[in-house]
C-alpha cells in the first residue's frame, strides 16, 4: 500500500472551505483503494497566522513541506491585510522556494455548465494554458524611493532569463505534443516590449525545432483575448509569460462558465520539490464563511494532483464524478446560478466516487 504525504494549506477566505472539501474527496477515494492511502498534514498559515506572528508562514515553513509528495492550497488574501503581503508572504514564497516554474491551467466547459459564449459548443473550448511561474513581470524586482514626496518613484522590473524562458517553452511544447491536436500558441507582446519579448520569440523558434510534429503559431496578447472569444476552437495549448497568462487564464475560466471551476497546478517538472495544486480563484471575501463556495475548482485541482502522483485511474474517476455532479443543475452553487452549498456538492462528488467503486467491484 503506497502512502502519499499531502500538505494542506487552506489559507484565507473560502480557501478554508474548499480545501477541507478537497481533502474529503481524497479520503473518499482512498477508502475504496487498496493500492494507496493519504497522510495529511494541515498548516494554518495565512491571514490569521499573520495577525498572531507578523508573518504569513514561519521562516522555516518550506522545510516542513519539502518532503511532502504534493501540496493542496486554498488561497491567500485577507480583507484586512494588503494583498501584496498575503500573496508574497505565502503563495509566491512556496512557488518560488520550490521553483514551481510551470503553472498549468486546463479549461473546458464541463457538462451542465451554461457558458457565456453563445456560439461556442463545449467541444470548441478545450485549452491548457501554461503560465511562466518563476520570473517575468512577477520576478519581484524593483523598488520605491522618496515615498510621499512629489519626486516619488517606483519600479517593477520584468526579468526574463534564457534558462527560464527555454524551460517553460520546452515544457509547453512537450505538453502540446502529448495532446491529440499537437497545437501550441505562443503568446507574445514583442511589438511593444522590444527586448525580453523579442528574446522570448527567438527562443520559441529555437525550441520549436526540437518538436517538429507540433504545429505552433504566435499571437500578440491583446489579439489573443479577441481570438479566445471569437475563435475558441483555433486554440489548444497556450503558453505565456507570468502576467499575460495570469490575465488570459481568468478570461478562460469565465468563458468556461465560472472562476469557481478552474484548477491549476504549480509544477516543478523536475520533481526536485513538491508541486502545489490549487483552484485559481482567490479568497472571495463576498461569500466567505457562508458555505457557498464552489468546490469544483479544488476538486479539479485534486485531479491534477492525482495525475502528477501517477494515479491516472484515480484521477479519471474523480473527474467523472465531478462531471456527473456539474451535469445536475440542482447541484450548482451560486456562481453558476444555482443554490447548492459547498457541502451538498462535496457530498455528491464523494457519493459518486463511492458508487463508482461499488460498480467496479461488481463487474
Ligand atoms: P476572487 O477569486 O477571490 O473573487 C472574484 C469573484 O469570484 C468574487 O465575486 C467571488 O465571490 C467569486 N468566486 C471566486 N471563487 C469562487 C468560488 N469557488 N465559488 C463561488 N464564487 C467564487 O478574486 P478577488 O476578489 O480579485 O480577490 C480576493 C482576494 O483573493 C484578494 O486578496 C486577492 O489578492 C486574493 N487572491 C488570491 C489568489 C491565490 O491565492 N491564488 C488568487 C486570486 C486572488
Ligand atoms: Mn490570477
Amino acid at each position: 500500500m503506497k502512502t502519499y504525504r499531502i500538505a494542506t494549506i487552506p489559507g484565507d477566505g473560502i480557501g478554508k472551505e474548499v480545501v477541507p472539501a478537497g481533502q474529503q474527496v481524497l479520503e473518499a477515494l482512498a477508502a475504496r483503494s487498496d493500492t494507496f492511502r493519504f497522510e495529511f498534514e494541515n498548516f494554518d498559515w495565512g491571514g490569521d497566522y499573520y495577525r498572531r506572528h507578523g508573518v504569513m508562514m514561519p521562516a522555516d515553513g518550506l522545510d516542513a513541506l519539502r518532503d511532502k509528495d504534493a501540496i493542496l492550497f486554498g488561497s491567500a488574501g485577507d480583507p484586512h491585510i494588503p494583498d501584496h503581503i498575503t500573496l508574497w508572504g505565502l503563495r509566491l514564497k512556496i512557488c518560488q522556494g520550490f521553483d514551481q516554474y510551470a503553472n498549468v491551467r486546463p479549461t473546458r466547459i464541463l457538462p451542465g455548465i451554461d457558458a457565456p459564449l453563445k456560439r461556442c459548443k463545449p467541444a470548441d473550448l478545450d485549452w491548457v494554458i501554461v503560465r511562466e511561474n518563476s520570473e517575468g513581470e512577477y520576478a519581484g524586482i524593483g523598488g520605491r524611493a522618496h515615498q510621499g514626496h512629489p519626486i516619488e518613484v517606483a519600479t517593477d522590473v520584468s526579468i526574463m532569463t534564457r534558462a527560464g524562458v527555454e524551460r517553460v517553452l520546452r515544457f509547453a511544447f512537450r505538453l502540446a505534443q502529448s495532446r491529440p491536436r499537437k497545437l501550441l500558441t505562443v503568446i507574445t507582446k514583442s511589438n511593444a516590449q522590444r527586448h525580453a519579448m523579442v528574446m522570448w520569440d527567438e527562443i520559441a523558434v529555437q525550441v520549436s525545432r526540437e518538436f517538429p510534429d507540433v504545429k505552433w503559431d504566435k499571437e500578440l496578447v491583446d489579439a489573443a483575448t479577441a481570438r479566445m472569444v471569437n475563435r475558441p476552437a483555433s486554440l489548444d495549448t497556450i503558453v505565456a509569460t507570468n502576467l499575460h497568462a495570469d490575465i488570459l487564464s481568468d478570461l478562460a475560466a469565465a468563458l468556461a462558465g465560472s472562476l469557481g471551476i478552474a484548477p491549476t497546478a504549480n509544477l516543478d517538472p523536475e520533481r526536485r520539490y513538491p508541486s502545489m495544486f490549487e483552484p485559481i480563484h482567490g479568497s472571495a471575501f463576498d461569500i466567505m464563511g457562508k458555505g457557498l463556495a464552489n468546490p469544483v475548482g479544488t476538486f479539479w485541482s485534486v485531479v491534477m494532483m492525482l495525475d502528477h502522483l501517477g494515479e491516472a485511474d484515480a484521477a479519471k474517476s474523480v473527474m467523472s464524478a465531478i462531471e456527473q455532479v456539474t451535469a445536475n443543475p440542482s447541484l450548482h452553487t451560486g456562481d453558476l446560478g444555482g443554490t447548492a452549498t459547498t457541502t451538498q456538492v462535496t457530498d455528491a462528488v464523494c457519493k459518486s466516487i463511492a458508487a463508482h467503486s461499488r460498480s467496479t467491484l461488481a463487474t
Side-chain angles (χ1 to χ4, degrees):
M1 177 88 94
K2 195 152 182 147
T3 300
Y4 294 113
R5 298 204 282 176
I6 310 295
T8 51
I9 309 177
D12 304 317
I14 61 169
K16 291 182 194 163
E17 301 165 52
V18 294
V19 166
Q23 178 170 343
Q24 235 174 292
V25 164
L26 284 169
E27 276 162 355
L29 195 64
R32 64 163 232 209
S33 169
D34 42 31
T35 59
F36 63 82
R37 58 186 286 272
F38 299 105
E39 199 177 279
F40 294 98
E41 187 176 354
N42 188 62
F43 296 88
D44 65 345
W45 303 338
D48 294 336
Y49 191 93
Y50 182 89
R51 273 182 280 277
R52 290 197 304 274
H53 304 280
V55 285
M56 292 287 287
M57 65 186 273
D60 60 355
L62 291 183
D63 293 330
L65 303 176
R66 205 175 293 279
D67 62 346
K68 301 296 183 198
D69 293 301
I71 303 164
L72 182 62
F73 187 82
S75 83
D78 184 289
H80 307 293
I81 306 171
D83 283 344
H84 64 277
I85 291 181
T86 52
L87 190 65
W88 278 96
L90 185 57
R91 185 175 167 271
L92 289 180
K93 211 165 166 172
I94 297 169
C95 288
Q96 298 212 339
F98 290 156
D99 201 20
Q100 295 162 342
Y101 66 83
N103 183 260
V104 182
R105 304 182 158 203
T107 311
R108 279 192 293 122
I109 300 175
L110 298 185
I113 302 297
D114 182 24
L117 288 180
K118 287 308 163 212
R119 274 173 302 155
C120 173
K121 299 183 290 295
D124 293 340
L125 201 163
D126 183 356
W127 303 331
V128 186
I129 298 179
V130 176
R131 168 180 174 185
E132 200 295 313
N133 209 33
S134 67
E135 55 175 25
E137 307 88 344
Y138 300 169
I141 306 290
R144 288 179 74 171
H146 310 303
Q147 288 193 38
H149 294 278
I151 57 162
E152 180 165 356
V153 57
T155 59
D156 274 301
V157 181
S158 174
I159 299 290
M160 296 200 192
T161 62
R162 171 169 283 274
V165 174
E166 266 183 27
R167 66 183 186 176
V168 77
L169 288 178
R170 196 168 278 126
F171 178 89
F173 271 97
R174 198 170 289 137
L175 180 62
Q177 192 177 44
S178 76
R179 287 170 54 87
R181 294 175 70 193
K182 300 189 194 301
L183 179 64
L184 177 69
T185 299
V186 177
I187 305 296
T188 186
K189 192 63 196 175
S190 49
N191 53 347
Q193 294 175 296
R194 60 187 181 162
H195 306 294
M197 290 313 298
V198 174
M199 180 180 79
W200 168 274
D201 289 1
E202 287 170 9
I203 294 175
V205 173
Q206 289 159 12
V207 171
S208 74
R209 296 194 187 112
E210 299 166 22
F211 301 88
D213 55 336
V214 174
K215 284 188 299 276
W216 73 285
D217 62 0
K218 216 168 72 174
E219 189 76 76
L220 294 172
V221 63
D222 40 355
T225 59
R227 180 168 164 191
M228 284 167 73
V229 172
N230 293 327
R231 292 184 296 130
S234 73
L235 295 160
D236 187 83
T237 309
I238 298 165
V239 62
T241 67
N242 215 329
L243 169 67
H244 291 164
D246 187 7
I247 298 167
L248 293 182
S249 57
D250 271 30
L251 173 60
L255 294 178
S258 171
L259 205 52
I261 291 176
T264 182
N266 301 282
L267 298 179
D268 166 25
E270 279 78 45
R271 294 172 185 264
R272 299 157 296 172
Y273 305 102
S275 293
M276 181 159 77
F277 303 82
E278 53 168 347
I280 83 165
H281 64 73
S283 304
F285 303 146
D286 49 337
I287 57 164
M288 64 182 184
K290 298 181 179 159
L292 301 176
N294 189 345
V296 167
T298 304
F299 298 161
W300 196 344
S301 304
V302 159
V303 171
M304 298 185 82
M305 175 192 283
L306 290 164
D307 268 324
H308 182 74
L309 294 173
E311 298 293 347
D313 289 341
K316 272 199 203 83
S317 66
V318 176
M319 198 66 220
S320 68
I322 292 172
E323 293 184 346
Q324 235 174 58
V325 167
T326 61
N328 179 354
S330 74
L331 289 169
H332 286 181
T333 44
D335 55 313
L336 298 173
T339 56
T341 63
T342 311
T343 307
Q344 285 167 336
V345 178
T346 307
D347 289 347
V349 169
C350 291
K351 217 167 117 188
S352 161
I353 289 170
H356 181 83
S357 97
R358 273 197 300 280
S359 66
T360 317
L361 290 175
T363 50

